Structure formats: structure tokens, C-alpha cells
Amino acid sequence: MRVLGIDPGLTRCGMGVVDGDVGRPLGLVDVNVIRTSSHLSVPDRLVTIERGIEAWIEEHRPDAVAVERVFARSDVSTVMGTAQASGIAMVCAARRGIPIALHTPSEVKAAVSGNGRADKAQVGAMVTRILRLDAMPKPADAADALALAITHIWRGGAKARIDAAVAVSRQARPAVGPAGVRR
Amino acid sequence: MRVLGIDPGLTRCGMGVVDGDVGRPLGLVDVNVIRTSSHLSVPDRLVTIERGIEAWIEEHRPDAVAVERVFARSDVSTVMGTAQASGIAMVCAARRGIPIALHTPSEVKAAVSGNGRADKAQVGAMVTRILRLDAMPKPADAADALALAITHIWRGGAKARIDAAVAVSRQARPAVGPAGVRR
């Protein structure tokens, strides 16, 4: 599956596309950061972000989009812009019917490094290793977007396996209802 | 001028359209509230809000859009959804090149009631009086959206008068530059 990870932000919005499945090596497809100037109005900055995300969805056709879950308790000076950018990211995907998942920063850190409180450098180092890159993706927003995509593939994989197991166990039990009534 | 006021929210997003100019009676064009169910995912709710705002801009063709400015210090449980909805509202207008203004709740309360700390009932009563309505618009989000549009016309009017005065004073002074050089 191909996942677009989005680390939302008004000044820098990271986008990372990863191909892969659980239990197999993951591959980097592309990574980028949409930057918007603080000299522009917030609406114009949000339109720039929307166009950037739209262009990437068009180009890379992801099967799913993973967005960082934003919390109100985050840094107050940037949280409103981050929330607005995350809303734009969700709408871009939802308009096209692409499944969206939100992952918290701790979930992402735990997934890629095994430590929910890992620092930026650790996350960047693990992303570099997992995707077998020559250098750490810069800036941190780029690495974070890739970490989101990796997290989504790994977590989604676990969920898909559970769903499959549930489906198999349902099939194993005889169906109850009109079709099973002996006449 | 025609102004679309938007009181952003994930559960209820108020939209009010007002026609008018400073110093002349204002008129209600239309008012509505987009409601989205909490049973839907946030991305789906945001898409519903986007479609509702898009449809209204198409139908009413406002000259300007006034959106309530959201603060991070607002109620934490709803502030993220409100921020996301406000981002969607801004993008809908900015994509079409419609000017956008943000007004704080205190600015709106002060503009319509003379008191920056007026309560919902007072704002609703003043909106009813200013627009000469038979009954108070319900719910409060509808009245708040109309109050935003009224505020924008009145504040925008003051700004337009200042801009006009500046333009006149510039014309009164002889132009400096190549065109004014005596040969």
C-alpha cells in the first residue's frame, strides 16, 4: 500500500510518501515540505497548502493519508495554524474518498523508535534506517511526515491482520438465521 | 456590499448574509446553520462544512467574507474543530479571491451592542433590531453569523471612508516624479 503522511503546519507542512506492507521492506517514494511565508494572510497560506497537498495526491495517488493528530494543549502560538492546516489536509483526502487516519506524536515516536518520548533526532535516524536512506530527511517536518506514513503502514497492517482473523473465525462458525434453518 | 458572516464550528457552523452600507439600513439576505453529526468522522464533517459554504458562496456571491477569529485559549474541547472549520471557511473564500476579514467575538459584540462583553441574548436582540426581523434568529450560531456580517459592513465602512480620504488628500497634492517634472 502507498501512504501519504502529512505533518501539518502553517509555516512548514511536511509530506512524505511511503510504499510497503507489514513484514516487508518499506520504500521512500517522495518527500517534500510546503513552505508559506508569514507575510501572506492566513487564508492565502492555507490555499497554498491546499494546492500543494492536492498536487501531491494527484501525483502519488496514495491508498491512505495519515495526518498528525493535533492537540489543543500544544504550543498555543502555533496550534491554531496547525489545526487549520490539518483540517485542510483531511478535507483534501476526504473529498476524494481516500481513507484518513490520525496518529498522535507519541504513537509515531513509539512505532518508529520503540520510545513514545523519542526526540526529533532519534525519529529522523530511525526513518533514515527504516527507509534505507543515505541521509536523514531535512527539515524535521519531512522526517516526521515519513514517520507518520511508516506508522500508518505498520499499525494498519496490525489492524488488517486482526480484521482478517475475525473474518476467518466468523466463517468457521456456522451461520445462524434463515439460511441455517433446517426444513 | 454583500457580506457573508461565518461563525465556524464542527457541530454547528452559522452562515449569515447581509446586504448594506454604512449609514443606510442593512438587510437580511439569508441565514442558515450547517450541522454535522458527531457520529461522522472529522474529515467527513469538514467536507460537509466545505460543501455547505461553497454552495452558499455560489448562491449569494458575497463581496466579502467575515469569519470569527478563533483563539487557542477558547474552550479546549471544541477549539480544534472550530479552528479546522474556520480554516475551511477561509480557504473557500480565498480560492475565489473573495476578501476575508477576521473579527474577534469582542469586536462583534461591541459593534452590534456597544458592549464587548455582551451575552448571546443581547447580541441576538440587537441583530433582530438592526435587521428589523420579526423574531430572533435561532440558534445562537445563526445570530452570531449575522452579527459578524453586520460588524464587517460597519467596520469596513469606516476603513473605506479613511481610504477614500487618504486617496483624496493624495490627489490634492501635486504628483511628484517624471510626469511632474517641468521641462
Side-chain angles (χ1 to χ4, degrees), chain A residues 43 50 80 83-84 86 95 100, chain B residues 43 50 80 83-84 86 91 95:
Chain A
E50 182 189 36
M80 301 314 293
Q84 288 163 343
S86 80
R95 274 200 295 246
I100 299 156
Chain B
E50 182 189 36
M80 302 314 293
Q84 288 163 344
S86 80
V91 161
R95 273 200 296 245

Side-chain angles (χ1 to χ4, degrees), chain B residues 1-54:
Chain B
M1 79 183 303
R2 174 168 289 189
V3 177
L4 166 59
I6 300 180
D7 182 26
L10 205 50
T11 304
R12 285 184 307 276
C13 182
M15 299 189 297
V17 183
V18 175
D19 265 349
D21 287 293
V22 182
R24 292 167 58 186
L26 306 185
L28 168 74
V29 177
D30 210 346
V31 63
N32 198 7
V33 173
I34 306 168
R35 294 165 197 271
T36 73
S37 162
S38 59
H39 297 298
L40 294 176
S41 71
V42 170
D44 286 343
R45 298 174 80 177
L46 292 173
V47 168
T48 302
I49 291 167
E50 182 189 36
R51 287 190 185 141
I53 294 173
E54 284 281 340

Side-chain angles (χ1 to χ4, degrees), chain A residues 7 19-20 75 88 91 99-100 105 113:
Chain A
D7 181 26
D19 266 348
D75 179 16
I88 302 303
V91 161
I100 299 156
S113 78

Side-chain angles (χ1 to χ4, degrees), chain A residues 72 80, chain B residues 68-80 82 105:
Chain A
M80 301 314 293
Chain B
E68 186 174 297
R69 189 185 289 278
V70 186
F71 289 105
R73 66 166 180 270
S74 312
D75 178 16
V76 167
S77 67
T78 61
V79 72
M80 302 314 293
T82 306

Side-chain angles (χ1 to χ4, degrees), chain B residues 157-182:
Chain B
K159 190 181 174 303
R161 283 199 304 279
I162 294 165
D163 289 349
V166 168
V168 166
S169 79
R170 280 204 183 122
Q171 281 181 334
R173 271 183 297 166
V176 176
V181 172
R182 289 187 191 170

Side-chain angles (χ1 to χ4, degrees), chain A residues 120-155:
Chain A
K120 294 258 174 218
Q122 240 183 303
V123 170
M126 284 309 299
V127 165
T128 311
R129 193 176 304 173
I130 293 163
L131 298 178
R132 289 152 294 130
L133 308 177
D134 295 329
M136 198 185 290
K138 294 270 171 67
D141 314 78
D144 285 348
L146 291 169
L148 270 157
I150 294 167
T151 301
H152 187 76
I153 293 173
W154 284 350
R155 285 173 65 103

